[in-house]
Amino acid sequence: MIIKEHWKFRYNEPLLGIELGDINNNGQIEIVAFTKSGWVLIISLKGELLNKVLISENSPIWALRIYDIDKDGKNEIILGGMDGILKIFKANIKYYLEPLWNHKFGASISGILIDNINNDELDEIIVYSLDKTLRVLNPLNGNLVWGQIFEEGIGDALIFRDNIKSANKEIIACGNDGTIRVFNSIDGTMLWFKRFSDKVRCISYLNSIKGPAVICGGDDKKLHFISKNTQKEFHTYEFKDYVWKCVSYPFSICNKALVSSYSFAFFNDSMPLEKIDFSSKLMCLNEFIDIIWELKGYNIETLKVRKVNDRLLIFIGTTKGELIIIEEQSGKILFNKRSLSCLNMIQLYIEWGLVFCCHDDGTLFAYKLEEKPR
């Protein structure tokens, strides 16, 4: 594998995340970056700044999606952050952002999902927040379709699809109150819940040999496997650090999962970041709940699984600023490059062989990815 730096863009504050999409229907993909002080930057695939807009002054943006929510053939920008306001914009040909509607939450927005969850031909916007609510919103006007309340803030959620009846969906969410809760997607009725001893930070599902399973973990430093059919826990893995991320794949099958733990050792200012030996790790599981391989010593901030040509690759970004590309089957590291600051998010434009990475020091890197002839 050959990876070369394609270009570098620099801004004067941390870039917390990036998304890719044609935001103004001009037939070109743009990069939309969001910052710690509430700016949205629109950048071309050549690294040129096309426009910047202040969305939430001195308030970080945490989540951004690019999606055609009103089915008019043009994408909208959907975003939310610490100010607790979900905001929807349309972009004109000159990249000026025109407000469409907004919906106010009582605290910071944690995440945004988009899917047709009630079979009404609309893709609803599902938003979860630290204000203790999960809300399903009408994409045309932001009106509440249904909502649910947790005892504390909600950190992660997913949409579960029935393998047999694909139209049947459920929303599974986890909270700072130590619960996971499963809701009927049509009316929000809670179907079942389970409580753990500490905050649950991440949730996913796995089509295991024992049937569909919900997998989750958090501050109890355990990864829990719960049968979707019986709601009973049937397996547990223990970690030295918080369980931070869990991702199921391949996305049409979901019979494998990647799970990462996270260490807060870098909060100790007495030791330089580059000298910290992290105890955190990345673990790859199969449908038999077996550990296929482990990668130890990396504190992972962002994680992507994508098919490149004929093989699955894992792209990770770390607290130390490393971009690491791993062969999914073997766990072998194919590429490792370190930058000067934390790598917050990775996005890929596989059609052009481009990998984009944004960092805490305001740098956005574009890398060109090519496979070596075999």
Side-chain angles (χ1 to χ4, degrees), residues 166-273:
S166 59
N168 293 349
K169 300 174 184 176
E170 297 169 0
I171 295 178
I172 308 174
C174 61
N176 295 346
D177 59 3
T179 66
I180 62 167
R181 308 190 188 201
V182 182
F183 306 104
N184 180 296
S185 64
I186 294 176
D187 59 11
T189 302
M190 189 165 70
L191 303 175
W192 59 274
F193 82 101
K194 199 168 188 69
R195 186 180 295 273
F196 298 95
S197 62
D198 213 329
K199 178 187 296 187
V200 181
R201 292 183 179 267
C202 62
I203 195 161
S204 190
Y205 63 90
L206 180 72
N207 286 318
S208 75
I209 196 69
K210 296 185 178 181
V214 177
I215 57 176
C216 65
D219 291 11
D220 65 357
K221 301 181 181 179
K222 296 178 181 178
L223 180 67
H224 304 275
F225 295 78
I226 303 112
S227 167
K228 187 72 174 47
N229 298 324
T230 67
Q231 293 90 57
K232 294 181 179 180
E233 185 168 348
F234 64 88
H235 196 74
T236 306
Y237 278 115
E238 295 191 5
F239 291 76
K240 293 181 179 178
D241 302 284
Y242 293 163
V243 179
W244 199 252
K245 295 182 183 296
C246 49
V247 177
S248 301
Y249 70 98
F251 304 112
S252 59
I253 306 171
C254 290
N255 63 349
K256 286 187 176 181
L258 295 170
V259 181
S260 66
S261 60
Y262 194 88
S263 169
F264 287 94
F266 65 95
F267 281 174
N268 182 358
D269 295 333
S270 64
M271 184 178 295
L273 181 62

Side-chain angles (χ1 to χ4, degrees), residues 350-362:
I350 296 300
E351 293 84 349
W352 284 23
L354 293 174
V355 180
F356 301 100
C357 303
C358 66
H359 294 259
D360 247 4
D361 64 359

Side-chain angles (χ1 to χ4, degrees), residues 15-59:
L15 300 180
L16 300 183
I18 47 176
E19 288 291 335
L20 307 178
D22 181 358
I23 64 170
N24 62 356
N25 204 39
N26 66 351
Q28 299 176 6
I29 299 294
E30 290 86 27
I31 305 163
V32 183
F34 45 100
T35 79
K36 189 175 182 179
S37 68
W39 286 88
V40 164
L41 313 178
I42 302 171
I43 303 164
S44 76
L45 289 182
K46 296 180 180 179
E48 304 163 327
L49 181 64
L50 303 172
N51 195 16
K52 65 176 186 175
V53 182
L54 182 61
I55 300 297
S56 53
E57 188 171 3
N58 296 321
S59 182

Side-chain angles (χ1 to χ4, degrees), residues 283-294:
M283 185 168 73
C284 182
L285 301 167
N286 63 16
E287 68 268 34
F288 297 96
I289 324 294
D290 294 329
I291 300 173
I292 305 171
W293 52 260
E294 290 183 332

